[in-house]
């Protein structure tokens, strides 16, 4: 077994996923959309555990976008409740699971209770290595605008000069500061858009689009996506 694993190419260090298709999954079963999100949260648990067993170091998931507020109050509330429950459990099991949590997005619009859970999860897990990044009230353009604003503010205060700005320095102003870019981005559910997800960080990522709906997504689907990633040649614009 161990020998077989040694022959497998290393998995990507950082995988990012757009957890899409929860609503359609529920509709197909005549269930409310919130049931789809609940099944989606289970799929997340499954995949997070599997990523850990494979040795993936960073898993980033799109849990709630800046556009998702347009959904019904019931649906938004349902997703927030799932996140709250998940984080409450994660905080109880923190020392056992040793997963580091980060949150990418503007948390100020979340309930004070959820904000506190996010901050506690981040603060209590800083020393752990395997990392899950939740994109929450996240938008890629919004992230870039905020980073530009923060840099401009430092220029206005005389702390930086415009010519100091490089791609590397700019990355430090993003929510993802310090996290390597994802090598693989997976979008299930048959949609082929980036939907404002990790716009800056995805510059050299391989995208794998799959037909399976997120609540049905299992370890075998992740294996397929990783195999596809390994099949593609990654030349970063070179030859
Ligand atoms: C997109 O599917 C999914 C979301 C907007 C929410 C994702 C949230 C979760 C999976 C739960 C989060 C909680 C944890 C613990 C990870 P969609 O609703 O747009 O599906 P559709 O395109 O079929 O309508």
């Amino acid at each position: 077994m161990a020998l077989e694993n040694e022959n497998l190419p290393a998995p990507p260090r950082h995988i990012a996923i757009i957890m899409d298709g929860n609503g359609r999954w529920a509709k197909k079963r005549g269930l409310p959309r919130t049931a789809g999100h609940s099944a989606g949260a289970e799929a997340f648990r499954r995949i997070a555990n599997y990523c850990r067993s494979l040795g993936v170091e960073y898993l980033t998931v799109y849990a709630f976008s800046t556009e998702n507020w347009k959904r019904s109050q019931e649906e938004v509330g349902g997703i927030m409740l799932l996140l709250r429950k998940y984080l409450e459990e994660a905080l109880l099991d923190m020392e056992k699971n040793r997963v580091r949590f980060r949150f990418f997005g503007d948390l100020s619009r979340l309930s004070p209770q959820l904000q506190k859970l996010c901050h506690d999860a981040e603060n209590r897990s800083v020393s752990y290595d395997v990392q899950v990044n939740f994109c929450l009230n996240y938008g890629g353009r919004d992230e870039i605008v905020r980073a530009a604003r923060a840099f401009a503010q430092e220029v206005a205060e005389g702390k930086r000069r415009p010519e100091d700005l490089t791609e590397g320095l700019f990355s430090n102003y993003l929510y993802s500061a310090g996290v390597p870019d994802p090598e693989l981005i997976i979008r299930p559910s048959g949609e082929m858009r980036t939907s404002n997800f990790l716009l800056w960080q995805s510059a050299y990522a391989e995208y794998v689009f799959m037909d399976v709906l997120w609540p049905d997504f299992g370890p075998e689907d992740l294996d397929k996506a990783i195999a596809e990633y390994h099949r593609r040649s990654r030349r970063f614009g070179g030859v």
Side-chain angles (χ1 to χ4, degrees):
M1 199 61 173
L3 274 178
E4 263 174 37
N5 282 339
E6 276 165 28
N7 290 332
L8 288 174
R13 213 177 150 200
H14 183 174
I15 297 179
I17 305 180
I18 301 176
M19 303 188 289
D20 195 14
N22 298 344
R24 277 163 284 166
W25 183 93
K27 194 170 177 204
K28 264 173 54 180
R29 287 163 178 76
L31 296 170
R33 293 179 61 85
T34 43
H37 296 311
S38 181
E42 282 313 309
F44 164 75
R45 284 186 169 85
R46 224 166 32 233
I47 292 304
N49 286 333
Y50 188 56
C51 279
R52 189 172 37 194
S53 75
L54 292 178
V56 174
E57 290 172 57
Y58 300 87
L59 173 65
T60 301
V61 289
Y62 211 171
F64 197 85
S65 76
T66 44
E67 287 73 39
N68 286 152
W69 295 107
K70 293 182 201 139
R71 298 190 176 198
S72 73
Q73 241 184 7
E74 187 196 348
E75 184 171 352
V76 171
I79 296 173
M80 296 300 162
L81 185 64
L82 285 167
L83 286 162
R84 206 183 85 198
K85 280 207 244 159
Y86 178 80
L87 291 175
E88 279 168 356
E89 265 172 48
L91 279 162
L92 287 177
D93 288 341
M94 197 116 247
E95 284 71 31
K96 191 178 96 208
N97 291 334
R98 305 182 66 80
V99 172
R100 181 171 181 188
F101 289 97
R102 288 265 301 265
F103 297 87
F104 298 172
D106 175 14
L107 301 188
S108 69
R109 209 174 151 187
L110 307 181
S111 71
Q113 194 182 20
L114 190 52
Q115 284 184 49
K116 183 172 186 317
L117 286 169
C118 294
H119 290 136
D120 287 353
E122 245 175 22
N123 294 337
R124 283 184 45 199
S125 66
V126 272
S127 60
Y128 301 146
D129 295 326
V130 177
Q131 184 167 320
V132 170
N133 306 308
F134 282 103
C135 294
L136 254 186
N137 192 20
Y138 173 88
R141 286 187 173 180
D142 182 59
E143 177 181 36
I144 292 169
V145 167
R146 280 165 192 272
R149 213 183 276 149
F151 178 76
Q153 182 63 37
E154 291 186 6
V155 171
E157 288 168 8
K159 294 181 186 153
R160 297 260 188 207
R161 294 164 307 158
E163 57 271 30
D164 291 341
L165 193 61
T166 59
E167 291 182 12
L169 180 64
F170 191 70
S171 300
N172 294 337
Y173 292 86
L174 299 171
Y175 292 124
S176 58
V179 176
D181 289 343
E183 293 96 341
L184 169 61
I185 301 183
I186 303 171
R187 181 165 198 165
S189 95
E191 304 290 344
M192 296 205 198
R193 291 183 297 282
T194 60
S195 293
N196 209 9
F197 185 48
L198 303 180
L199 292 184
W200 175 275
Q201 300 86 342
S202 61
Y204 293 103
E206 292 293 341
Y207 274 95
V208 174
F209 298 100
M210 303 175 80
D211 274 333
V212 56
L213 300 174
W214 174 248
D216 290 328
F217 197 97
E220 62 292 350
D221 298 300
L222 192 72
D223 286 343
K224 279 188 210 159
I226 293 176
E228 174 63 22
Y229 159 81
H230 284 305
R231 266 195 297 274
R232 296 187 194 166
S233 90
R234 307 186 66 233
R235 293 181 299 213
F236 298 103
V239 286

